[in-house]
């Protein structure tokens, strides 16, 4: 017994010191980031939400289980390790007493059964993981593998480590059965089987018991050390990352810029003193640093990223890993106590500290500019990440620094930004054009002049694309016609409406966003706006979820939600059949960012004759059109065009029409369909329309509805070239 005790405790002390030092180092590195008082404040304010996510996401494995097979394997392994905490207590207890049993429950047969059941469950889990890794080996599958770029060697080591934990556990328990030291009379079925195999060894079971108890502890302690040095750190810190994640998630609104934990006031801010976005890794908040350390390298984000899927250099996983590797390599510099200490650091560390966070190969940048600017902010990465990493916040932070401090961003976006500043819309068409879309309507659309009248129920926020882009204008007209025919009193701001600032904010120009947002909030407040219906999901997201950050609080609804309600209430009745196969494309900022999935589908279901066809990638797993995050105004030079990839998928459903609920999607998908028609890959009659246009066709008499939905008078138009 003395040998057991001495070796067991010695191993524990050594492992505790090594793992403890590493955890202390990680803690200090995390603290070198910026403060994030809002995360602590949110948790203090809503502790129940924090507790709920621990129960659902951590213990319930909610996000992991969205991928059924790997999710089930992970859940088995995770729950198995929770249950096996009991066996670790038993192994330590056995160091001191041959007949150790956990107080009260330690001899109950069902406890032994559950322990063995989960031990076997863990084995099933790791075998499943091994099969998944073999079938998706990045050496064979290349970019198609979600493990491409991950540290696969470490993953195999961990699988081996877990196997050894279970193997040593079952062997020492089997030997204990033969020596009479096992606390469970029956129930521990797997241990009994192993005991049966070991029984012929007779007295040797005593030695086997001692050896494998010590091996069990050695493997667990080695595993614990390895965890602190590898991606498996997530075992310890994922619950903390989930606890401090944005609620309900990192989608929807972007967060205001902060410096030293305080929201930046542009009038007071000093670029020499304040932090302007993420210009170096220590500009990340401690929550950002925690994100880096928590990544499990599972590649779920990468597998859903439209930029990665179309051959671009951006992978959300690699962004996190590149930042993490850089932070770890720069850590001695960040943790050094003085300039002298920093000067004494090895050359490699000082060189790492000098690396620009964004830069091409010549500049030895941590992240290539093409990675940074390929992101459409579609949110697929945030949606998928099982440990609540907030990729979009980090990408936006780096863009903010590049735009506001370095003035380094794709040249095409400069024109768009100038137009926003000078004319209030991305195309630079000016306020006078904002009412052209209503010129040939057979009813008058009230334009707010001063206060919104008491009889006006909704302010219709038309948006720049809806007011100025030809194809989007047709959707705008359809919405206005539907509201009018349903007897909804609405008005528009007309020339007083300006861009919400979404494209500027998403590409990192918080200054222009703030200017436009304040201007719009002033206009809306002066007009007394309360209820707003927005046709553009980007406007919808910005007004509903970002303007409150600047004091603009309104009740905002998307036009598909309002139209679905009007149909359900019988105020709009689709009558004319549209006998077509129609596939609906989920706009990212309507669907994934704001969870509006059912309203557009409900509208389509109510139109007689429509045969809805879902694409494989739909709803939460929808695939971007390529326009978000101001990408609409930037050239897509690398890889396949994202809109072409989406249309290829849509064509797989053999549609007569592709519907959507966003003017950006309408334009992007329309461009891709036009190209497909040009190459003979799509039928000439294929159209891309807003669901409002479908509904408008269906409330018209059959003869009028028979005309193509895209037909109709158009005002002066910026065509696709104008977007450049
Ligand atoms: S937001 Fe979309 S495009 Fe950007 S990194 Fe995430 S998945 Fe890729
Ligand atoms: S960021 Fe999240 S989804 Fe992506 S690899 Fe890391 S843990 Fe997986």
């Amino acid at each position: 017994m003395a040998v057991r005790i001495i070796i067991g405790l010695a191993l524990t002390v050594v492992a505790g010191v090594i793992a403890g030092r590493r955890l202390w180092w990680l803690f200090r590195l995390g603290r070198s980031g910026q403060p994030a008082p809002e995360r602590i404040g949110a948790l203090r304010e809503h502790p129940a939400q924090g507790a709920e996510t621990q129960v659902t996401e951590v213990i319930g494995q909610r996000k992991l289980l969205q991928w059924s097979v790997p999710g089930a394997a992970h859940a088995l392994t995770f729950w198995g390790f929770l249950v096996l905490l009991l066996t670790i207590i038993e192994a330590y207890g056995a160091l001191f007493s041959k007949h150790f049993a956990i107080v009260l429950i330690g001899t109950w047969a069902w406890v032994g059964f559950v322990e063995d059941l989960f031990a076997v469950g863990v084995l099933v889990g790791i075998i499943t993981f091994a099969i998944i890794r073999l079938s998706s080996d990045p050496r064979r599958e290349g970019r198609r593998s979600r493990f491409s770029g991950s540290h696969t060697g470490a993953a195999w080591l961990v699988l081996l480590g877990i196997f050894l934990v279970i193997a040593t556990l079952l062997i020492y328990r089997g030997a204990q059965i033969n020596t009479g030291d096992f606390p469970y009379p029956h129930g521990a079925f797997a241990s009994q089987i192993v005991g049966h195999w070991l029984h012929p060894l007779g007295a040797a079971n005593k030695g086997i018991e001692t050896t494998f108890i010590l091996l069990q502890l050695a493997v667990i302690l080695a595993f614990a050390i390895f965890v602190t040095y590898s991606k498996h750190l997530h075992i310890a810190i994922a619950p903390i990352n989930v606890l401090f994640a944005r609620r309900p998630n990192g989608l929807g609104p972007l967060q205001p810029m902060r410096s030293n934990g305080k929201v930046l006031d542009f009038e007071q801010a000093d670029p020499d003193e304040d932090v302007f976005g993420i210009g170096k890794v220590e500009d990340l908040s401690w929550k950002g640093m925690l994100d880096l350390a928590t990544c499990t390298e599972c590649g779920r984000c990468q597998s859903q990223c439209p930029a990665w899927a179309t051959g671009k250099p951006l992978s959300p996983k690699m962004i996190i890993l590149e930042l993490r590797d850089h932070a770890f390599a720069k850590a001695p510099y960040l943790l050094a106590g003085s300039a002298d200490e920093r000067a004494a650091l090895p050359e490699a560390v000082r060189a790492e500290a000098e690396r620009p966070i964004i830069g091409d190969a010549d500049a030895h940048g941590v992240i290539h500019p093409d990675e940074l600017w390929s992101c459409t902010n579609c949110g697929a990465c945030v949606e998928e990440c099982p440990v609540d990493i907030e990729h979009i916040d980090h990408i936006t932070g780096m863009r903010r620094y590049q735009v506001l401090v370095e003035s380094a961003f794709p040249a095409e976006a400069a024109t768009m930004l100038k137009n926003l500043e000078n004319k209030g819309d991305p195309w630079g068409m000016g306020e006078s054009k904002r009412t052209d879309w209503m010129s040939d309507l057979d009813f008058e659309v009230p334009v707010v002049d001063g206060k919104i009248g008491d009889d006006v129920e909704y302010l219709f926020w038309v948006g720049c694309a809806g007011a100025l882009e030809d194809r989007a204008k047709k959707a705008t007209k359809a919405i206005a016609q539907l509201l009018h025919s349903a007897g909804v009193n609405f008005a528009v701001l007309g020339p007083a409406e300006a861009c919400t600032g979404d494209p500027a904010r998403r590409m990192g120009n918080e200054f222009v966003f703030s200017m436009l947002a304040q201007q719009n909030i002033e206009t809306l407040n002066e007009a007394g706006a309360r209820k707003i219906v927005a046709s553009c999901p980007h406007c919808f997201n910005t007004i509903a979820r970002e303007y409150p950050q600047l004091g603009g609080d309104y009740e905002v609804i998307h036009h598909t939600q309002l139209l679905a309600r009007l149909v359900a209430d019988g105020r709009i009745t689709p009558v004319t059949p549209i006998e077509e196969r129609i596939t609906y494309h989920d706009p990212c900022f309507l669907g994934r960012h704001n969870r509006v999935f059912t309203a557009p589908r409900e509208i389509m279901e109510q139109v007689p004759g429509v045969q809805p066809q879902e694409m494989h990638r739909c709803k939460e797993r929808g695939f971007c059109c390529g326009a978000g995050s101001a990408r609409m105004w930037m050239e897509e030079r690398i890889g396949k065009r994202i809109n072409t990839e989406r249309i290829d998928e849509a064509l797989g459903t053999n549609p007569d029409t592709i519907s959507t609920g966003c003017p950006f999607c309408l334009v992007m998908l329309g461009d891709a369909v036009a190209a497909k028609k040009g190459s003979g890959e799509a039928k000439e009659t294929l159209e891309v329309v807003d669901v409002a246009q479908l509904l408008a066709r269906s409330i018209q008499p059959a003869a009028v509805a028979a005309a193509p939905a895209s037909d109709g008078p158009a005002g002066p138009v910026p065509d696709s070239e104008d977007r450049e």
Side-chain angles (χ1 to χ4, degrees):
M1 288 302 288
V3 176
R4 277 196 201 186
I5 294 172
I6 292 166
I7 297 178
L9 292 184
L11 287 174
T12 307
V13 170
V14 171
V17 169
I18 298 172
R21 276 170 57 104
R22 176 69 174 179
L23 287 175
W24 175 239
W25 182 85
L26 288 166
F27 177 73
R28 288 171 59 222
L29 182 58
R31 280 188 47 186
S32 69
Q34 288 280 304
E38 76 283 5
R39 302 301 178 123
I40 296 164
L43 188 61
R44 280 210 186 109
E45 222 173 292
H46 305 288
Q49 277 186 2
E52 187 197 325
T53 49
Q54 291 298 300
V55 172
T56 56
E57 277 190 37
V58 180
I59 298 178
Q61 303 271 284
R62 182 183 65 81
K63 288 185 91 174
L64 281 148
L65 285 166
Q66 282 165 358
W67 287 38
S68 43
V69 175
H74 192 278
L76 275 178
T77 313
F78 172 76
W79 292 331
F81 267 87
L82 287 187
V83 171
L84 294 179
L85 287 176
L86 290 176
T87 64
I88 294 174
I89 296 171
E90 287 169 347
Y92 270 103
L95 288 180
F96 297 93
S97 164
K98 274 184 175 303
H99 305 293
F100 175 83
I102 295 173
V103 181
L104 195 65
I105 61 168
T107 53
W108 294 358
W110 69 265
V111 175
F113 171 76
V114 169
E115 287 176 349
D116 275 24
L117 184 68
F118 278 92
V120 174
V122 171
L123 280 181
V124 172
I126 60 170
I127 290 168
T128 310
F129 280 136
I131 294 169
I132 290 171
R133 287 200 167 267
L134 287 173
S135 61
S136 190
D137 188 336
R139 283 169 304 186
R140 194 182 59 248
E141 300 287 309
R143 283 175 72 99
R144 277 177 304 158
S145 167
R146 66 184 168 101
F147 303 117
S148 170
S150 300
H151 298 90
T152 49
W156 282 110
L157 257 182
V158 164
L159 290 185
L160 176 68
I162 297 174
F163 171 77
L164 290 176
V165 169
I166 302 300
T168 53
L169 172 78
L170 292 178
I171 292 174
Y172 94 72
R173 282 160 73 96
Q176 274 187 332
I177 290 171
N178 295 329
T179 58
D181 297 335
F182 194 52
Y184 302 102
H186 46 85
F189 63 96
S191 305
Q192 283 166 355
I193 293 171
V194 177
H196 182 70
W197 293 338
L198 296 177
H199 191 261
L201 299 177
N205 275 284
K206 272 195 180 309
I208 294 173
E209 181 192 346
T210 297
T211 307
F212 278 84
I213 284 174
L214 291 174
L215 278 177
Q216 154 90 163
L217 291 177
V219 170
I220 288 171
L221 293 169
F223 188 68
I225 294 172
F226 183 71
V227 158
T228 62
Y229 281 85
S230 73
K231 76 187 185 81
H232 281 77
L233 187 60
H234 78 268
I235 293 172
I237 61 176
I240 307 171
N241 206 48
V242 170
L243 190 66
F244 288 105
R246 278 169 56 186
R247 298 282 168 255
N249 53 34
L251 296 170
L254 287 180
Q255 297 304 291
M257 284 175 68
R258 286 179 180 269
S259 174
N260 202 22
K262 295 198 189 83
V263 173
L264 206 60
D265 175 351
F266 280 109
E267 286 181 15
Q268 315 269 324
D270 175 357
D272 293 328
E273 296 288 325
D274 286 305
V275 173
F276 269 58
I278 301 168
K280 41 195 188 317
V281 74
E282 60 269 33
D283 291 342
L284 283 160
S285 71
W286 59 258
K287 171 61 177 65
M289 293 277 196
L290 193 59
D291 271 3
L292 307 187
T294 309
C295 178
T296 71
E297 304 186 20
C298 67
R300 290 179 182 224
C301 55
Q302 179 174 286
S303 73
Q304 302 299 310
C305 174
W308 182 258
T310 52
K312 296 169 182 58
L314 168 65
S315 150
K317 174 182 75 179
M318 295 313 297
I319 291 268
I320 299 298
L321 297 192
E322 284 158 355
L323 286 173
R324 182 186 71 190
D325 292 349
H326 171 60
F328 282 8
K330 191 178 177 182
Y333 184 89
L334 297 175
L335 301 180
S338 65
D340 287 345
E341 268 184 49
R342 278 194 280 276
L345 289 169
E347 171 62 30
V349 175
R350 283 183 285 127
E352 188 71 34
E354 294 296 316
R355 288 179 74 190
I357 204 154
I358 303 296
D360 58 18
D362 291 343
H364 200 37
V366 177
I367 288 168
H368 194 283
D370 287 338
E371 293 180 67
L372 184 71
W373 294 106
S374 291
C375 176
T376 66
N377 272 208
C378 74
C381 47
V382 179
E383 173 79 32
E384 290 299 327
C385 183
V387 290
D388 285 356
I389 287 169
E390 294 154 348
H391 315 72
I392 291 181
D393 290 355
H394 307 320
I395 288 170
T396 305
M398 290 186 282
R399 285 181 172 186
R400 283 170 171 169
Y401 184 85
Q402 292 303 305
V403 172
L404 298 174
V405 180
E406 301 283 349
S407 279
F409 51 87
E412 318 89 84
T415 313
M416 184 273 287
L417 282 175
K418 205 182 298 159
N419 287 335
L420 286 181
E421 278 190 84
N422 298 335
K423 300 280 189 175
D425 70 77
W427 293 283
M429 296 185 72
E431 59 187 33
S432 63
K433 301 283 183 195
R434 282 191 175 266
T435 49
D436 285 1
W437 64 271
M438 56 177 82
S439 61
D440 56 357
L441 291 176
D442 57 7
F443 59 92
E444 199 170 319
V445 176
V447 178
V448 176
D449 183 15
K451 282 267 176 207
I452 297 174
D454 287 343
D455 58 332
V456 173
E457 192 182 356
Y458 282 100
L459 179 74
F460 178 17
W461 186 275
V462 179
C464 300
L468 303 170
E469 211 285 340
D470 256 9
R471 285 162 284 186
K473 275 156 69 175
K474 287 164 193 156
T476 307
K477 279 190 254 187
I479 297 165
Q481 276 162 348
L482 289 163
L483 295 181
H484 178 70
S485 66
V488 175
N489 279 336
F490 70 97
V492 298
L493 287 175
E497 188 184 294
C499 174
T500 57
D502 165 84
R505 188 174 220 195
R506 296 275 159 185
M507 71 165 287
N509 199 328
E510 189 73 1
F511 180 75
V512 170
F513 163 74
S514 161
M515 185 190 83
L516 289 165
Q518 278 166 5
Q519 178 188 329
N520 281 324
I521 290 169
E522 205 173 299
T523 306
L524 288 166
N525 289 350
E526 275 173 12
R530 299 170 310 275
K531 289 165 82 174
I532 298 173
V533 56
S535 57
C536 170
H538 298 264
C539 299
F540 170 63
N541 180 68
T542 309
I543 301 173
R545 302 187 67 191
E546 296 187 343
Y547 280 10
Q549 295 165 3
L550 296 164
D553 288 293
Y554 317 100
E555 188 185 323
V556 193
I557 191 170
H558 186 251
H559 73 269
T560 54
Q561 294 174 298
L562 180 56
L563 294 178
R565 196 190 299 163
L566 293 171
V567 172
D569 292 349
R571 291 172 68 183
I572 296 176
T573 309
V575 285
T576 304
I578 299 179
E579 302 285 353
E580 291 181 5
R581 292 166 63 88
I582 303 183
T583 188
Y584 174 73
H585 162 84
D586 285 282
C588 300
F589 277 78
L590 185 63
R592 201 154 34 226
H593 281 278
N594 286 291
R595 322 317 276 181
V596 179
F597 299 115
T598 51
R601 290 176 169 82
E602 279 170 3
I603 294 172
M604 284 171 52
E605 277 165 19
Q606 293 305 314
V607 175
V610 166
Q611 302 145 48
Q613 310 291 319
E614 285 290 3
M615 284 183 263
H616 175 63
R617 291 180 285 201
C618 63
K619 300 178 186 169
E620 290 90 344
R621 293 256 167 87
F623 192 82
C624 186
C625 72
S629 183
R631 288 290 329 168
M632 176 119 158
W633 292 275
M634 296 180 213
E635 285 293 346
E636 197 174 331
R637 295 189 184 88
I638 308 171
K640 184 178 179 181
R641 291 181 68 87
I642 293 174
N643 56 351
T644 307
E645 169 77 8
R646 186 53 165 165
I647 285 302
D648 280 340
E649 186 174 2
L651 291 178
T653 67
N654 189 23
D656 301 307
T657 294
I658 297 164
S659 68
T660 188
C662 169
F664 287 9
C665 299
L666 204 62
V667 172
M668 295 300 282
L669 300 183
D671 283 352
V673 164
K676 288 283 171 190
K677 286 181 185 173
S679 62
E681 293 170 79
K683 53 192 175 194
E684 278 304 318
T685 52
L686 180 63
E687 296 179 286
V688 183
V689 298
D690 192 286
V691 285
Q693 289 170 273
L694 285 177
L695 188 57
R697 276 169 68 189
S698 185
I699 64 165
Q700 289 173 337
V704 181
S710 57
D711 280 352
V717 190
D719 57 25
S720 356
E721 276 82 50
D722 290 319
R723 289 189 285 105
E724 307 300 291

